Structures are given as C-alpha cells and as structure tokens.
C-alpha cells in the first residue's frame, strides 16, 4: 500500500538524519501495514546497528524479535552463539527461544564465551555443568581449553583462568565419552 511505502520512506529519511529511534518506529509502522518490508536489508542493518548502542539496544532487540521475527532469525541465532557482548548474547538467546528456534543456536561457543566472561565461581560451575551436559566433541574440546587456559599472575608466573572450577572441569571431562 502507498501508506506502508510512505512509512517506509519516512523510516529511510529518519535513518539518514540519524534519528534512529524515529526510523525504527516508522519502519515498524511500514511492517505492520505490509509484512513484505520485514525482508528489507536496510531495516535489518539499522536494527543491528542500534544493538551496538547501549541506549537503543533493548528497543532494537524488541524490534528484531517482534517486528522482523523470522526474517531476523539468522542474525539472532548468530548473535546468541557468538556475540562477544554477554548481555546481547543472552537477549538474543531469549529472542530465538521466543521465536521457537532455540535448538538452532550454536551452544558450545556461546557457553565458552559465557565461561570466559562469568563473574565468580558459582556462575562458572553452572556453565561447566551445562557444557558437560551438551556433550559431543565440541563441548569436550571447549572444556579442555577451559581446563588449560592460563593468565599472567605477577611478573613471571601464570595461573589457571578457571582455577576455582578446574576440578569440576576435570571431573566433567572424565564423565564424557571418549571421542
């Protein structure tokens, strides 16, 4: 419809003027009127750009999940498994789950990133457990990397990065089948 096209063009103009939140609203209006706009790469690119800004992250994630839906799944799945930002990874996981595609997330890289960014031993313990439950050669390799990861500790010495859960990792590796 011409109204949908008008909303779309309003979104394009707002995006060009760096009025990104207005652009998202206009694009959302265009999508409501004509679902074909869900597949416009410019709209997806704008939403992805807004994910990188803490101020607009939540609105962009809601937009990807609720307005773009299926069209945003490849982006959301990639983020859920591999995004370096912990909060974004978690939000993407929730969005993918809500869209019914949780099983398509590459869990091992996501859990490995979670482990590296975990705050404290309790959180690390839960992640090690989930990695072990995931099973498979990738999970086993990730656990080995976690077991062996070291960081500088002082001028000449190193310590294990996941020292407080190293025993848990070793035990988990023992229970996993040999590949």
């Amino acid at each position: 419809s011409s109204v949908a096209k008008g909303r779309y063009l309003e979104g394009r103009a707002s995006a060009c003027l760096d009025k990104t939140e207005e652009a998202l609203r206009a694009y959302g209006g265009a999508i409501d009127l004509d679902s074909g706009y869900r597949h416009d790469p410019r709209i997806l690119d704008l939403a992805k750009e807004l994910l990188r800004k803490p101020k607009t992250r939540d609105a962009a994630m809601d937009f990807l999940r609720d307005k773009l839906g299926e069209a945003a799944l490849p982006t959301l799945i990639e983020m859920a498994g591999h995004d370096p930002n912990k909060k974004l990874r978690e939000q993407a996981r929730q969005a993918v789950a809500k869209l019914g595609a949780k099983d398509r997330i590459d869990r091992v890289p996501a859990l490995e990133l979670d482990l590296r960014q975990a705050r404290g031993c309790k959180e690390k313990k839960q992640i090690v457990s989930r990695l072990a439950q995931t099973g498979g050669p990738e999970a086993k390799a990730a656990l080995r990397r976690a077991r062996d990861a070291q960081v500088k500790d002082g001028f000449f010495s190193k310590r294990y990065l996941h020292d407080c859960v190293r025993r848990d990792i070793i035990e988990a590796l023992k229970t996993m089948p040999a590949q």
Side-chain angles (χ1 to χ4, degrees):
S1 81
S2 58
V3 177
K5 187 169 177 109
R7 293 291 286 156
Y8 173 76
L9 292 173
E10 182 187 331
R12 294 262 322 260
S14 296
C16 289
L17 296 169
D18 244 357
K19 296 179 178 177
T20 50
E21 289 168 64
E22 286 175 33
L24 263 194
R25 270 194 300 281
Y27 282 149
I31 290 167
D32 289 342
L33 295 165
D34 179 352
S35 63
Y37 284 110
R38 276 195 177 105
H39 303 283
D40 188 293
R42 286 187 185 100
I43 296 176
L44 181 62
D45 288 346
L46 175 70
K48 283 167 40 177
E49 181 189 317
L50 295 180
L51 285 172
R52 299 286 155 218
K53 299 173 184 167
K55 203 175 93 180
T56 54
R57 178 176 297 147
D58 292 342
M61 186 59 74
D62 291 347
F63 183 85
L64 284 166
R65 183 190 63 231
D66 302 334
K67 292 289 182 190
L68 297 182
E70 277 297 309
L73 258 181
T75 298
L76 290 168
I77 289 168
E78 175 64 24
M79 285 175 61
H82 302 276
D83 199 277
N85 182 301
K86 186 178 180 182
K87 187 175 193 298
L88 268 179
R89 253 191 339 272
E90 188 52 45
Q91 286 181 312
R93 272 186 216 145
Q94 290 169 6
V96 170
K98 192 170 182 186
L99 291 168
K102 195 173 162 184
D103 57 324
R104 291 173 50 195
I105 296 172
D106 201 354
R107 285 180 46 96
V108 173
L111 287 169
E112 198 168 7
L113 281 166
D114 287 351
L115 184 60
R116 227 177 291 136
Q117 296 172 345
R119 300 203 191 283
C121 296
K122 187 179 176 190
E123 190 181 343
K124 285 185 180 199
K125 211 177 194 68
Q126 293 168 345
I127 295 165
V128 166
S129 171
R130 277 191 296 202
L131 265 170
Q133 288 165 10
T134 300
E138 295 91 5
K140 198 167 187 176
L143 283 169
R144 282 195 193 109
R145 284 191 294 274
R147 174 195 65 197
D148 300 337
Q150 294 186 341
V151 290
K152 271 183 96 119
D153 188 28
F155 199 66
F156 291 111
S157 61
K158 289 182 175 184
R159 66 175 171 79
Y160 288 106
L161 178 61
H162 306 295
D163 210 12
C164 65
V165 290
R166 195 155 188 272
R167 261 202 193 99
D168 298 281
I169 294 170
I170 292 166
E171 288 307 309
L173 283 167
K174 284 180 191 172
T175 64
M176 295 176 87
Q179 253 78 41

